[in-house]
């Protein structure tokens, strides 16, 4: 059998180990202003309508809008301040991903859709008229009939509201609500049932958006997640779904109440 020879070579020099550079932590994600639009509005453009509890919680004046807001849902000071605003057993309306501290009762929750303007054709509506305080009774009647969302006697003061009349009767409307920096919410979009299918709401949305764009803001809006027809309509005219927030109502700790108080 042929022999097998073995060649012995010199041992390799030990390799130098370069210590790894310490990992640089990623900067924390900066919340988008539309993640907490009511707080951004009450802290900025709508500060004149705010009732505040220090630097941590605020709400709209009760005849202007139903919304409350807190600076940081993870900060117990925000919930303490909100409790001060609500009062013992008081009810507050909030949006976001929220887990309240012990003692707060969740009364209602619903899923929403937040859409932002990405390709909307904004243009005036020649037939639209500016609505104001004198029109509020008619506006409230149309809101009660169509139920597009909360609208109170002074909500009209938050921005421009436009309407379309038929033989003097208000049959469609839309306007501006929340005003976080750089953005304006289109809200109260509604049409009398007898006048649907004529594109009135779309014309008003385009007209309100035109005014928003003129001052350099970007339009956005909210609707209920189950209102799939509205979501499809908004997407078809140039809005894009950005976020799917929760809308919630909580009862603050303390206070005596009965089951009837849970109506929102």
């Amino acid at each position: 059998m042929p022999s097998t020879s073995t060649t012995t070579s010199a041992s390799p020099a030990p390799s130098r180990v370069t210590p790894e550079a310490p990992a640089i932590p990623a900067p924390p994600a900066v919340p988008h202003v539309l993640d907490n639009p009511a707080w951004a509005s009450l802290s900025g453009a709508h500060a004149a309508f705010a009732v505040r509890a220090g630097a941590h919680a605020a709400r709209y004046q009760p005849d202007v809008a139903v919304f409350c807001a807190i600076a940081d849902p993870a900060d117990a000071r925000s919930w303490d301040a909100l409790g001060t605003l609500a009062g013992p057993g008081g009810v507050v309306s909030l949006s976001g991903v929220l887990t309240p501290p012990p003692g707060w009762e969740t009364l209602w929750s619903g899923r929403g859709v937040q859409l932002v303007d990405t390709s909307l054709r904004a243009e005036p509506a020649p037939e639209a008229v500016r609505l104001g305080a004198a029109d509020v009774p008619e506006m409230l009647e149309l809101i009660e009939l169509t139920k597009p969302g909360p609208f109170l006697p002074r909500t009209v003061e938050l921005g421009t509201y436009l309407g379309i009349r038929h033989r003097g009767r208000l049959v469609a409307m839309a306007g501006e609500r929340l005003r976080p920096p750089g953005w304006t919410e289109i809200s109260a979009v509604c049409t009398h049932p007898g006048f649907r299918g004529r594109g009135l709401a779309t014309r008003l949305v385009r007209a309100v958006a035109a005014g928003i764009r003129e001052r350099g803001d970007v339009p956005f809006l909210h609707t209920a997640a189950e209102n799939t027809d509205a979501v499809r309509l908004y997407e078809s005219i140039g809005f894009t779904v950005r976020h799917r927030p929760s809308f919630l109502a909580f009862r603050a700790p303390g206070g005596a109440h009965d089951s009837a108080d849970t109506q929102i």
Side-chain angles (χ1 to χ4, degrees):
M1 295 179 61
S3 62
T4 303
S5 62
T6 304
T7 303
T8 304
S9 60
S11 300
S15 60
R16 298 181 62 185
V17 178
T18 302
E20 293 184 2
I24 299 175
V30 178
H32 194 286
V33 70
L34 293 187
D35 292 342
N36 198 353
W39 176 257
S41 299
L42 288 164
S43 302
H46 287 167
F49 299 104
V51 180
R52 307 191 67 86
H56 299 286
R59 72 184 308 164
Y60 280 92
Q61 294 166 6
D63 56 350
V64 174
V66 301
F67 307 113
C68 302
I70 52 180
D72 183 358
D75 188 343
R77 294 174 299 177
S78 291
W79 290 97
D80 290 343
L82 185 63
T84 299
L85 278 180
V91 175
V92 296
S93 297
L94 297 163
S95 67
V97 180
L98 305 173
T99 304
W104 287 81
E105 179 187 0
T106 301
L107 300 179
W108 179 87
S109 65
R111 300 295 298 171
V113 178
Q114 183 186 83
L115 301 102
V116 298
D117 167 21
T118 52
S119 58
L120 177 69
R121 188 180 80 249
E123 58 190 7
E127 72 274 39
V129 296
R130 179 76 180 261
L131 302 174
D135 302 295
V136 167
E138 279 188 283
M139 298 170 78
L140 290 172
E141 288 180 7
L142 188 58
I143 292 290
E144 178 62 26
L145 181 65
T146 59
K147 302 190 184 305
F151 188 92
L152 300 175
R154 293 179 56 213
T155 302
V156 70
E157 297 178 24
L158 295 178
T160 298
Y161 278 81
L162 300 178
I164 293 177
R165 293 184 176 278
H166 177 75
R167 297 179 179 175
R169 178 187 184 188
L170 184 66
V171 297
M173 61 179 265
E176 301 174 355
R177 193 169 59 183
L178 300 181
R179 287 276 307 276
W183 301 82
T184 300
E185 181 191 25
I186 298 176
S187 182
V189 181
C190 56
T191 303
H192 188 284
F195 291 84
R196 289 174 181 164
R198 306 183 188 188
L200 302 185
T202 298
R203 295 207 291 275
L204 287 172
V205 167
R206 295 188 193 279
V208 174
I212 292 170
R213 292 242 195 100
E214 283 180 4
R215 65 169 177 264
D217 281 1
V218 179
F220 75 106
L221 49 80
H222 293 97
T223 190
E226 64 267 22
N227 193 352
T228 54
D229 289 343
V231 174
R232 283 194 294 267
L233 172 63
Y234 291 133
E235 289 180 319
S236 73
I237 65 174
F239 286 89
T240 299
V241 174
R242 177 195 166 266
H243 183 46
R244 296 182 181 274
S246 296
F247 298 109
L248 308 106
F250 299 108
R251 189 189 303 281
H257 56 271
D258 56 36
S259 59
D261 292 334
T262 61
Q263 298 297 318
I264 301 169

